[in-house]
C-alpha cells in the first residue's frame, strides 16, 4: 500500500507548489548529467557517508575522502573498477561503519562546497577486502589514521588486514550546480525576494536508477 505524500496546503492548480524546483530543474542529455555529477564529486573530494546503525536503526554520517578518481568512458561513466557510477572509499574494517553496512548496505553519500553546490548519491555498498584492490588504491596517508600496532601485521601498510575499500554502487543521484557568477546569482536572489519570482541560480538535476543502469 503506497503512502500518501505529505502536504500541508493546497496551491493554485496553475502554479507549481515548489517554484524553486520548477525554475531550476534542467534535463540535458544523460551523458552531460553524469559527467557534471562526476566532475563535481571529484572537485569536492570529501563527502558525508550516511549509514544506518544496526542496533538502533538511527542514521549516522561520517566525513570520507574519495579513494579513487572517477573517469568517463565513451558510452557512459565508469571507474577503474568497471561500469556504472561507483564511488570508492578506504575504510578500517574494524570500525563502526563496516558493522552498519553489514547490517544494511543501503547508503547515501552527500557532497557540498562553499558556494552551496551539492550532490546526493544513494546506492548500495560492498566492503571489499581483496588485497589486490587495496594495494591498487592504497595511500601512505592511511598509516596516520590506522597507526602501527607494532605486531608486524597491523602496521597501516598495504598488507594491513584492517584496510579495506567501501565500494558504493550509485542507484540514484540528485545534484545542484551553480549557473553564472556569484554576483549574478546574488542579484537574481535579491530580485526574486522583491518580485516573489523564484530565481534561476542552479542547474538542479536528478538521475534515476534506470538512467544509471544505462551507464553500465
Amino acid at each position: 500500500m503506497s503512502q500518501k505524500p505529505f502536504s500541508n496546503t493546497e496551491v493554485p492548480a496553475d502554479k507549481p507548489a515548489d517554484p524553486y524546483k520548477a525554475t531550476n530543474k534542467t534535463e540535458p542529455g544523460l551523458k552531460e548529467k553524469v559527467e557534471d555529477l562526476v566532475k563535481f564529486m571529484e572537485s569536492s573530494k570529501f563527502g558525508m557517508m550516511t549509514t544506518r546503525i544496526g542496533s538502533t536503526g538511527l542514521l549516522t554520517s561520517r566525513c570520507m575522502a574519495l579513494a579513487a578518481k572517477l573517469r568517463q568512458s565513451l558510452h557512459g561513466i565508469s571507474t577503474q573498477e568497471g561500469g556504472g557510477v561507483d564511488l570508492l572509499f578506504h575504510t578500517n574494517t574494524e570500525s563502526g561503519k563496516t558493522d552498519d553496512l553489514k547490517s544494511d548496505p543501503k547508503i547515501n553519500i552527500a557532497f557540498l562546497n562553499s558556494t552551496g553546490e551539492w550532490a546526493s548519491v544513494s546506492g548500495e555498498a560492498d566492503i571489499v577486502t581483496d588485497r589486490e584492490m587495496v594495494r591498487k588504491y592504497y595511500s601512505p596517508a592511511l598509516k596516520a589514521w590506522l597507526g602501527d600496532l607494532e605486531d608486524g601485521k597491523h602496521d597501516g601498510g598495504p598488507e594491513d588486514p584492517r584496510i579495506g575499500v567501501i565500494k558504493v554502487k550509485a542507484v540514484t543521484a540528485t545534484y545542484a550546480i551553480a549557473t553564472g557568477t556569484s554576483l549574478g546569482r546574488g542579484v537574481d536572489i535579491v530580485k526574486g525576494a522583491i518580485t516573489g519570482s523564484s530565481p534561476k541560480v542552479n542547474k538542479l538535476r536528478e538521475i534515476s536508477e534506470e538512467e544509471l543502469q544505462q551507464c553500465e
Side-chain angles (χ1 to χ4, degrees):
M1 183 176 176
S2 60
Q3 186 176 2
K4 185 178 179 180
F6 177 85
S7 178
N8 192 47
T9 187
E10 289 188 18
V11 299
D14 61 339
K15 301 290 184 181
D18 187 347
Y20 165 77
K21 183 174 182 178
T23 301
N24 289 272
K25 188 175 181 181
T26 62
E27 284 293 341
L30 176 59
K31 187 173 187 293
E32 180 181 338
K33 283 203 294 186
V34 178
E35 285 180 346
D36 284 350
L37 171 64
V38 170
K39 187 184 300 183
F40 177 70
M41 291 190 296
E42 286 184 342
S43 66
S44 299
K45 180 61 177 176
F46 293 95
M48 293 299 292
M49 175 182 288
T50 300
T51 58
R52 186 179 300 278
I53 303 171
S55 59
T56 64
L58 296 174
L59 301 177
T60 185
S61 299
R62 304 168 178 84
C63 184
M64 301 285 287
L66 281 169
K69 295 259 183 175
L70 305 175
R71 61 180 173 83
Q72 291 76 22
S73 69
L74 180 62
H75 302 291
I77 298 295
S78 65
T79 68
Q80 291 127 335
E81 294 308 314
V85 179
D86 294 341
L87 288 70
L88 306 180
F89 301 88
H90 293 119
T91 186
N92 180 341
T93 60
E94 311 310 299
S95 67
K97 56 185 169 291
T98 52
D99 291 335
D100 297 347
L101 293 173
K102 182 180 179 182
S103 172
D104 185 351
K106 291 182 175 60
I107 196 169
N108 180 270
I109 311 293
F111 299 87
L112 176 70
N113 67 17
S114 60
T115 67
E117 295 176 308
W118 58 270
S120 173
V121 178
S122 296
E124 296 210 359
D126 184 30
I127 303 167
V128 182
T129 56
D130 175 71
R131 299 327 296 170
E132 183 177 348
M133 187 172 181
V134 170
R135 292 187 205 102
K136 184 174 184 178
Y137 296 108
Y138 176 78
S139 167
L142 291 169
K143 197 164 188 175
W145 299 102
L146 283 93
D148 185 349
L149 303 187
E150 300 181 347
D151 62 353
K153 182 177 182 180
H154 304 95
D155 58 2
E159 304 305 318
D160 189 328
R162 294 176 298 166
I163 300 177
V165 172
I166 295 175
K167 182 177 180 179
V168 178
K169 181 178 181 60
V171 176
T172 64
T174 304
Y175 68 97
I177 52 177
T179 60
T181 65
S182 57
L183 178 60
R185 293 193 300 275
V187 170
D188 288 342
I189 291 171
V190 171
K191 181 180 176 181
I194 295 172
T195 64
S197 60
S198 185
K200 187 174 180 59
V201 293
N202 287 320
K203 297 175 184 177
L204 179 63
R205 296 169 176 170
E206 297 175 349
I207 307 177
S208 68
E209 181 175 2
E210 291 74 18
E211 288 178 311
L212 284 175
Q213 287 174 347
Q214 294 178 40
C215 300
E216 297 182 355

